[in-house]
Amino acid sequence: MKDRWIQVGVIGAGSAGDQELAWAEEVGREVARRGAVLLCGGLGGVMEAAAFGAREEGGMTVGILPGPDRWEANPYISIGVATDMGHARNVILVRSSDGLIAVGGQYGTLSELAIALKTGKPVVSLGSWNLGPPVIRAASPKEAVEKLFQVLTER
Amino acid sequence: MKDRWIQVGVIGAGSAGDQELAWAEEVGREVARRGAVLLCGGLGGVMEAAAFGAREEGGMTVGILPGPDRWEANPYISIGVATDMGHARNVILVRSSDGLIAVGGQYGTLSELAIALKTGKPVVSLGSWNLGPPVIRAASPKEAVEKLFQVLTER
Amino acid sequence: MKDRWIQVGVIGAGSAGDQELAWAEEVGREVARRGAVLLCGGLGGVMEAAAFGAREEGGMTVGILPGPDRWEANPYISIGVATDMGHARNVILVRSSDGLIAVGGQYGTLSELAIALKTGKPVVSLGSWNLGPPVIRAASPKEAVEKLFQVLTER
Amino acid sequence: MKDRWIQVGVIGAGSAGDQELAWAEEVGREVARRGAVLLCGGLGGVMEAAAFGAREEGGMTVGILPGPDRWEANPYISIGVATDMGHARNVILVRSSDGLIAVGGQYGTLSELAIALKTGKPVVSLGSWNLGPPVIRAASPKEAVEKLFQVLTER
């Protein structure tokens, strides 16, 4: 199974500020540089910035979409999964990720963080909801990805 | 459509302390006394206590279950909806509720609160996660139900 | 658990001919006369006719809806479950039913029949897809309901 | 969006005979030779044979799994999507596929065919359920893939 990549979920809001978008892009780049597949919600904002970053580094991106049509994905999604399940796709995104990085984010991201904690997935927060441990905090995109990979490879 | 009842979701953990169980039962009683249908996750702890309370007052209870078998519901569930969708059933519970009352609760409840806020449902917290407004805070079961019905009937 | 009712799913198309609508209404009446809860997809056509019939006899009806809003249900639905999961709600409807009656129907109904057979639920066909045994065939609404209840009460 | 591949779903039973397994492997090979991504249910039987074939030709495979753990996928799945939604994952598989090829198959496959027809996806049957048009019939794996790509590229 050496051909199965680490799958990292990047979560965050569909409309985000400049700081978050820059962070998300850099997180995407760092994930791709480590040869991992980037999963996200497939739409705009943080999701698009992270996918853009990953693709710029030659990475693979998967969009777990809320709607019925995979072509609603942002243009940097390699593979679109059209769930047609609205917010319930958040659960699929968490379940399918080995670990997650939350970049900023609002209530949708909070629901993903909660499901990640409920299901025991490692999560790194980069300017996201402060839920205390076991959420890992990071101050930069690089630190976020490094800390997540440290947990994932220790396992 | 006068025969369609208000549907109130009661959310909280499957294993809860005595205080929360007592609160949940009383919330269930108050919901039933107002002629509303009580929706919950259908399992134990807060879900069971709330359903028990509602049934004691002659109310109707609906359990939105995570598993594939409706008979896994606690004995106070009138109608079991077997989603077989794990935590994604939380989204269905929120979507199907006109408003929600959170009694204590852990990460699962947090995911439901987040989805409720994301979808604009009124939510009352009774000793649950403190996410600030628009979550409505209450200090007793009766106050929680009163405050929720005030919002629901004003609409 | 004597207070838990039998849950019968009635499936069929959202746009149906007069024969099917008349059958569906009578199926709904027969289900309600036996004190069972009627589950359906909550929308129009066969779903609405069956719910109307059940309500006319004082029965309880549950609509497992594809959309995010329970108020999209037809007016004869007592309790609306808003799944926001599109066609995947068909699986929830099957899982939540002790047995099912298919009245006519097209591809959506076929998907429900297939899931019912996959999960071992008893199914009666009234002018619906002819998939051979174990589907039970009936020539009238009354025969359909009688045959289903015979299987359900033998278990 | 030139970097977005065609996504072909291959559906069929988890336990299948030698003929079906040989067909599925060859379908997988043909899909990969055309540079498309192969989607399947991620488990054994036809799903595994198709994924094996695709990977042998250097293709990419996505498993839309019914359970909560992506590591339950067969070893030839590149990217695992853990839906934790049981049979409802069939709907996600269909929604995410531009077109589908059914190799043999039982009730699960029938539910997927039905959803594919309901949602207007082109489907080719290779020894699968005979539902009449618009299902396209094929007598060999190569013909099945050729016919599907003809439809997909005409659009």
Side-chain angles (χ1 to χ4, degrees):
Chain A
M1 235 173 311
K2 61 181 183 302
D3 297 329
R4 206 169 292 178
W5 301 274
I6 289 178
Q7 298 184 178
V8 173
V10 178
I11 56 180
S15 74
D18 286 349
Q19 165 81 95
E20 287 170 1
L21 295 177
W23 276 348
E25 182 188 325
E26 190 57 24
V27 165
R29 288 181 184 273
E30 288 290 331
V31 167
R33 282 175 194 140
R34 281 165 175 79
V37 173
L38 183 141
L39 276 68
C40 69
L43 300 179
V46 160
M47 300 172 260
E48 183 163 351
F52 172 78
R55 290 297 287 275
E56 285 288 302
E57 300 292 325
M60 166 83 53
T61 59
V62 179
I64 310 286
L65 295 152
D69 181 357
R70 79 172 178 103
W71 299 101
E72 289 166 358
N74 71 59
Y76 311 108
I77 294 300
S78 313
I79 291 173
V81 176
T83 67
D84 196 26
M85 291 191 174
H87 300 305
R89 72 85 140 80
N90 295 4
V91 179
I92 301 177
L93 175 51
V94 170
R95 286 287 196 192
S96 303
S97 299
D98 301 320
L100 296 105
I101 298 172
V103 181
Q106 300 160 2
Y107 293 134
T109 305
L110 179 60
S111 84
E112 291 166 318
L113 280 171
I115 294 295
L117 293 168
K118 177 83 177 177
T119 58
K121 301 277 182 178
V123 194
V124 179
S125 165
L126 184 59
S128 188
W129 293 85
N130 183 7
L131 299 172
V135 175
I136 302 161
R137 307 196 70 176
S140 73
K142 191 162 186 183
E143 189 191 342
V145 179
E146 272 171 2
K147 283 187 166 177
L148 183 63
F149 274 75
Q150 198 172 350
V151 174
L152 292 177
T153 52
E154 271 170 3
R155 291 198 158 181
Chain B
M1 233 172 315
K2 62 183 184 297
D3 297 330
R4 205 168 293 179
W5 301 275
I6 289 178
Q7 299 185 178
V8 173
V10 178
I11 56 181
S15 75
D18 286 348
Q19 166 78 97
E20 287 171 0
L21 295 176
W23 275 348
E25 181 188 326
E26 190 57 24
V27 165
R29 288 182 185 272
E30 288 290 332
V31 167
R33 281 174 195 140
R34 282 166 174 79
V37 173
L38 183 141
L39 276 68
C40 68
L43 300 179
V46 160
M47 301 171 259
E48 184 162 353
F52 173 79
R55 289 297 287 276
E56 285 289 301
E57 300 292 326
M60 167 83 55
T61 59
V62 179
I64 311 285
L65 296 153
D69 181 359
R70 80 172 177 104
W71 299 102
E72 289 167 358
N74 72 60
Y76 311 107
I77 294 299
S78 312
I79 291 173
V81 176
T83 67
D84 195 25
M85 289 190 177
H87 300 304
R89 73 86 141 79
N90 294 4
V91 179
I92 302 176
L93 175 50
V94 170
R95 287 285 196 193
S96 303
S97 299
D98 300 320
L100 297 106
I101 298 172
V103 181
Q106 299 160 2
Y107 293 133
T109 305
L110 179 59
S111 83
E112 290 165 319
L113 280 171
I115 295 294
L117 293 168
K118 175 84 178 178
T119 58
K121 302 276 182 178
V123 193
V124 179
S125 165
L126 185 56
S128 189
W129 292 85
N130 183 7
L131 299 173
V135 175
I136 302 161
R137 307 197 69 173
S140 74
K142 193 164 185 181
E143 188 192 342
V145 178
E146 273 170 1
K147 284 188 166 175
L148 183 63
F149 274 75
Q150 198 172 349
V151 174
L152 292 177
T153 52
E154 273 171 3
R155 292 199 157 183
Chain C
M1 236 174 311
K2 62 183 183 299
D3 297 330
R4 204 169 293 179
W5 302 276
I6 289 178
Q7 298 185 178
V8 173
V10 178
I11 56 180
S15 75
D18 287 348
Q19 166 78 96
E20 288 171 0
L21 294 176
W23 276 348
E25 180 187 326
E26 191 57 26
V27 165
R29 288 183 184 271
E30 288 290 332
V31 166
R33 282 175 194 139
R34 282 165 175 80
V37 172
L38 184 141
L39 276 68
C40 68
L43 300 179
V46 161
M47 301 171 260
E48 182 162 354
F52 172 78
R55 289 297 287 276
E56 285 290 299
E57 300 292 326
M60 167 82 55
T61 59
V62 179
I64 311 285
L65 295 153
D69 181 358
R70 78 174 180 103
W71 298 102
E72 290 167 357
N74 71 61
Y76 312 107
I77 294 300
S78 313
I79 291 173
V81 176
T83 67
D84 196 25
M85 290 191 177
H87 300 304
R89 73 89 141 74
N90 295 3
V91 179
I92 301 177
L93 175 51
V94 170
R95 287 286 195 192
S96 303
S97 299
D98 301 321
L100 296 106
I101 298 173
V103 181
Q106 299 160 1
Y107 292 133
T109 306
L110 179 59
S111 83
E112 291 166 319
L113 280 170
I115 295 294
L117 293 167
K118 176 83 178 178
T119 57
K121 301 277 182 177
V123 192
V124 179
S125 165
L126 184 58
S128 188
W129 292 86
N130 184 5
L131 299 173
V135 176
I136 302 162
R137 306 196 70 175
S140 74
K142 193 163 185 182
E143 189 191 342
V145 179
E146 274 172 0
K147 284 188 166 176
L148 183 62
F149 274 76
Q150 200 171 348
V151 174
L152 292 177
T153 51
E154 272 172 2
R155 293 196 157 183
Chain D
M1 235 173 311
K2 60 181 187 299
D3 297 330
R4 206 169 290 178
W5 300 275
I6 289 178
Q7 298 185 177
V8 173
V10 178
I11 55 181
S15 75
D18 287 348
Q19 167 79 95
E20 288 171 0
L21 294 177
W23 276 348
E25 181 187 325
E26 191 57 25
V27 165
R29 288 182 184 271
E30 288 290 332
V31 167
R33 282 174 195 141
R34 282 165 175 79
V37 172
L38 185 142
L39 276 68
C40 69
L43 300 179
V46 160
M47 301 171 261
E48 182 163 352
F52 172 79
R55 290 296 289 274
E56 285 289 301
E57 300 291 326
M60 166 84 54
T61 59
V62 179
I64 310 286
L65 296 153
D69 181 358
R70 79 173 179 105
W71 299 101
E72 289 167 356
N74 72 60
Y76 311 108
I77 294 299
S78 313
I79 292 173
V81 176
T83 68
D84 197 26
M85 290 191 175
H87 300 305
R89 73 84 141 80
N90 294 4
V91 179
I92 301 176
L93 175 51
V94 170
R95 286 285 196 193
S96 303
S97 299
D98 301 319
L100 297 105
I101 297 172
V103 180
Q106 298 160 4
Y107 292 133
T109 305
L110 179 59
S111 84
E112 290 165 318
L113 279 171
I115 295 294
L117 293 167
K118 178 83 178 176
T119 57
K121 301 277 183 177
V123 193
V124 179
S125 165
L126 184 58
S128 187
W129 293 85
N130 183 7
L131 299 173
V135 175
I136 302 161
R137 307 196 68 174
S140 73
K142 192 163 185 182
E143 190 191 343
V145 179
E146 273 170 2
K147 284 187 165 176
L148 183 62
F149 275 75
Q150 199 172 351
V151 175
L152 292 177
T153 51
E154 271 170 4
R155 293 198 157 181

